[in-house]
Amino acid sequence: MARMNDVGGMQGFGPIDTTDDTEPFHADWEARVFALNRALIAEKVFNLDEFRDAVESMPPAAYLAASYYERWFYGIRTLLERKGVVAAGELDE
């Protein structure tokens, strides 16, 4: 079964916004998520393949509703819980 991110050949997602967006981040928290991910990979808490798998395992409705960096944050949280760095639900508080 394909994951939500694998939409090749599927229809009905509307037009693609192709406007040139030169800003890498649209909010400070997005830059923090990016930096956090880089630091955790550098410290070998998880690797890029694990991160990608975590992002792509998002429930389909949540995946479609989330922004790019919201998906990244989901992946980071998922891996931190999976690897026992934080307790399940600890980051929900």
Side-chain angles (χ1 to χ4, degrees):
M1 180 177 171
R3 292 178 169 187
M4 194 61 242
N5 62 298
D6 185 11
V7 294
M10 296 176 74
Q11 302 289 323
F13 291 100
I16 296 172
D17 182 2
T18 58
T19 55
D20 191 16
D21 186 358
T22 60
E23 296 294 325
F25 307 109
H26 298 96
D28 289 343
W29 71 267
E30 292 179 344
R32 289 188 200 110
V33 167
F34 178 85
L36 179 61
N37 189 49
R38 295 285 304 254
L40 291 168
I41 289 173
E43 291 297 318
K44 302 189 184 320
V45 175
F46 52 77
N47 64 41
L48 190 56
D49 290 335
E50 292 171 313
F51 172 69
R52 182 176 173 178
D53 178 68
V55 170
E56 293 174 356
S57 69
M58 281 182 82
Y63 186 91
L64 291 174
S67 71
Y68 185 74
Y69 286 107
E70 286 171 336
R71 293 174 189 156
W72 277 43
F73 190 56
Y74 175 89
I76 291 168
R77 291 173 54 137
T78 298
L79 287 170
L80 291 177
E81 288 182 3
R82 236 184 244 170
K83 294 183 172 282
V85 177
V86 298
E90 184 177 343
L91 298 177
D92 294 339
E93 298 173 14

Tab-separated table of all heavy atoms in Angstrom, residues 4 10 22-23 27 29 33-35 40 54 60-62 64-65 67 78-79 81 86:
chain	number	residue	atom	x	y	z
A	4	MET	N	0.829	8.193	2.011
A	4	MET	CA	0.170	9.427	1.590
A	4	MET	C	1.082	10.310	0.753
A	4	MET	O	0.624	11.025	-0.124
A	4	MET	CB	-0.318	10.189	2.820
A	4	MET	CG	-1.293	11.276	2.492
A	4	MET	SD	-2.762	10.602	1.709
A	4	MET	CE	-2.715	11.395	0.137
A	10	MET	N	-1.835	10.120	-9.210
A	10	MET	CA	-3.161	10.350	-8.632
A	10	MET	C	-3.682	11.716	-9.069
A	10	MET	O	-2.922	12.629	-9.338
A	10	MET	CB	-3.112	10.255	-7.109
A	10	MET	CG	-2.737	8.873	-6.613
A	10	MET	SD	-2.571	8.784	-4.836
A	10	MET	CE	-4.283	8.842	-4.350
A	22	THR	N	11.351	32.543	-2.317
A	22	THR	CA	12.776	32.565	-1.994
A	22	THR	C	13.065	32.445	-0.510
A	22	THR	O	14.221	32.300	-0.119
A	22	THR	CB	13.427	33.862	-2.524
A	22	THR	OG1	12.775	34.978	-1.916
A	22	THR	CG2	13.316	33.948	-4.037
A	23	GLU	N	12.049	32.513	0.323
A	23	GLU	CA	12.259	32.417	1.765
A	23	GLU	C	12.324	30.946	2.190
A	23	GLU	O	11.379	30.202	1.949
A	23	GLU	CB	11.121	33.099	2.523
A	23	GLU	CG	11.026	34.587	2.271
A	23	GLU	CD	12.234	35.333	2.814
A	23	GLU	OE1	12.772	34.940	3.867
A	23	GLU	OE2	12.646	36.305	2.165
A	27	ALA	N	8.486	31.204	9.337
A	27	ALA	CA	8.323	31.502	10.763
A	27	ALA	C	9.572	31.002	11.492
A	27	ALA	O	10.249	30.077	11.011
A	27	ALA	CB	7.079	30.808	11.310
A	29	TRP	N	9.837	29.236	14.120
A	29	TRP	CA	9.779	27.839	14.557
A	29	TRP	C	10.195	26.888	13.442
A	29	TRP	O	10.741	25.809	13.719
A	29	TRP	CB	8.388	27.494	15.113
A	29	TRP	CG	7.299	27.412	14.070
A	29	TRP	CD1	6.466	28.408	13.670
A	29	TRP	CD2	6.968	26.272	13.274
A	29	TRP	NE1	5.623	27.952	12.679
A	29	TRP	CE2	5.909	26.647	12.422
A	29	TRP	CE3	7.445	24.963	13.203
A	29	TRP	CZ2	5.335	25.763	11.506
A	29	TRP	CZ3	6.869	24.082	12.283
A	29	TRP	CH2	5.826	24.489	11.462
A	33	VAL	N	12.944	23.917	13.829
A	33	VAL	CA	12.697	22.505	13.486
A	33	VAL	C	13.795	22.007	12.545
A	33	VAL	O	14.326	20.911	12.724
A	33	VAL	CB	11.300	22.317	12.867
A	33	VAL	CG1	11.144	20.947	12.222
A	33	VAL	CG2	10.228	22.529	13.925
A	34	PHE	N	14.159	22.828	11.579
A	34	PHE	CA	15.227	22.462	10.644
A	34	PHE	C	16.532	22.220	11.407
A	34	PHE	O	17.203	21.199	11.213
A	34	PHE	CB	15.412	23.575	9.605
A	34	PHE	CG	16.509	23.314	8.624
A	34	PHE	CD1	16.268	22.557	7.490
A	34	PHE	CD2	17.777	23.820	8.833
A	34	PHE	CE1	17.283	22.302	6.577
A	34	PHE	CE2	18.802	23.573	7.935
A	34	PHE	CZ	18.554	22.815	6.806
A	35	ALA	N	16.891	23.164	12.290
A	35	ALA	CA	18.137	23.048	13.055
A	35	ALA	C	18.093	21.851	14.004
A	35	ALA	O	19.096	21.131	14.156
A	35	ALA	CB	18.386	24.337	13.833
A	40	LEU	N	20.006	16.483	15.602
A	40	LEU	CA	19.700	15.112	16.016
A	40	LEU	C	20.315	14.090	15.065
A	40	LEU	O	20.789	13.035	15.495
A	40	LEU	CB	18.187	14.920	16.123
A	40	LEU	CG	17.536	15.695	17.276
A	40	LEU	CD1	16.009	15.694	17.120
A	40	LEU	CD2	17.948	15.115	18.621
A	54	ALA	N	9.597	8.207	9.199
A	54	ALA	CA	8.687	8.744	10.222
A	54	ALA	C	7.743	9.783	9.627
A	54	ALA	O	6.545	9.783	9.915
A	54	ALA	CB	9.490	9.343	11.376
A	60	PRO	N	-2.800	9.790	6.847
A	60	PRO	CA	-3.057	10.562	5.625
A	60	PRO	C	-3.738	11.914	5.848
A	60	PRO	O	-3.323	12.906	5.255
A	60	PRO	CB	-3.951	9.627	4.804
A	60	PRO	CG	-3.566	8.265	5.253
A	60	PRO	CD	-3.247	8.398	6.715
A	61	ALA	N	-4.748	11.981	6.674
A	61	ALA	CA	-5.449	13.259	6.881
A	61	ALA	C	-4.520	14.284	7.516
A	61	ALA	O	-4.512	15.463	7.135
A	61	ALA	CB	-6.690	13.053	7.740
A	62	ALA	N	-3.714	13.847	8.473
A	62	ALA	CA	-2.769	14.759	9.130
A	62	ALA	C	-1.685	15.193	8.151
A	62	ALA	O	-1.281	16.360	8.135
A	62	ALA	CB	-2.143	14.084	10.352
A	64	LEU	N	-1.888	15.505	4.886
A	64	LEU	CA	-2.413	16.473	3.917
A	64	LEU	C	-2.692	17.831	4.542
A	64	LEU	O	-2.615	18.858	3.874
A	64	LEU	CB	-3.687	15.923	3.264
A	64	LEU	CG	-3.469	14.740	2.325
A	64	LEU	CD1	-4.799	14.185	1.854
A	64	LEU	CD2	-2.596	15.131	1.138
A	65	ALA	N	-3.031	17.860	5.830
A	65	ALA	CA	-3.347	19.117	6.513
A	65	ALA	C	-2.093	19.846	7.001
A	65	ALA	O	-2.149	21.033	7.295
A	65	ALA	CB	-4.282	18.852	7.689
A	67	SER	N	1.784	21.477	7.151
A	67	SER	CA	2.753	22.179	6.310
A	67	SER	C	4.030	21.335	6.235
A	67	SER	O	4.186	20.333	6.945
A	67	SER	CB	3.071	23.552	6.903
A	67	SER	OG	3.842	23.418	8.096
A	78	THR	N	8.024	11.741	16.551
A	78	THR	CA	7.807	10.299	16.427
A	78	THR	C	9.084	9.529	16.729
A	78	THR	O	9.082	8.554	17.495
A	78	THR	CB	7.297	9.970	15.012
A	78	THR	OG1	6.048	10.630	14.812
A	78	THR	CG2	7.145	8.473	14.802
A	79	LEU	N	10.184	9.963	16.164
A	79	LEU	CA	11.447	9.248	16.368
A	79	LEU	C	11.961	9.397	17.790
A	79	LEU	O	12.508	8.445	18.358
A	79	LEU	CB	12.485	9.730	15.365
A	79	LEU	CG	12.231	9.245	13.943
A	79	LEU	CD1	13.163	9.956	12.970
A	79	LEU	CD2	12.397	7.735	13.848
A	81	GLU	N	10.181	9.618	20.440
A	81	GLU	CA	9.395	8.684	21.248
A	81	GLU	C	9.784	7.242	20.929
A	81	GLU	O	9.955	6.434	21.836
A	81	GLU	CB	7.896	8.901	21.004
A	81	GLU	CG	7.370	10.184	21.624
A	81	GLU	CD	5.875	10.379	21.439
A	81	GLU	OE1	5.198	9.489	20.879
A	81	GLU	OE2	5.384	11.431	21.856
A	86	VAL	N	12.299	10.578	24.648
A	86	VAL	CA	11.229	11.167	25.448
A	86	VAL	C	10.135	10.111	25.607
A	86	VAL	O	10.016	9.201	24.780
A	86	VAL	CB	10.635	12.455	24.807
A	86	VAL	CG1	11.679	13.546	24.678
A	86	VAL	CG2	10.006	12.148	23.469
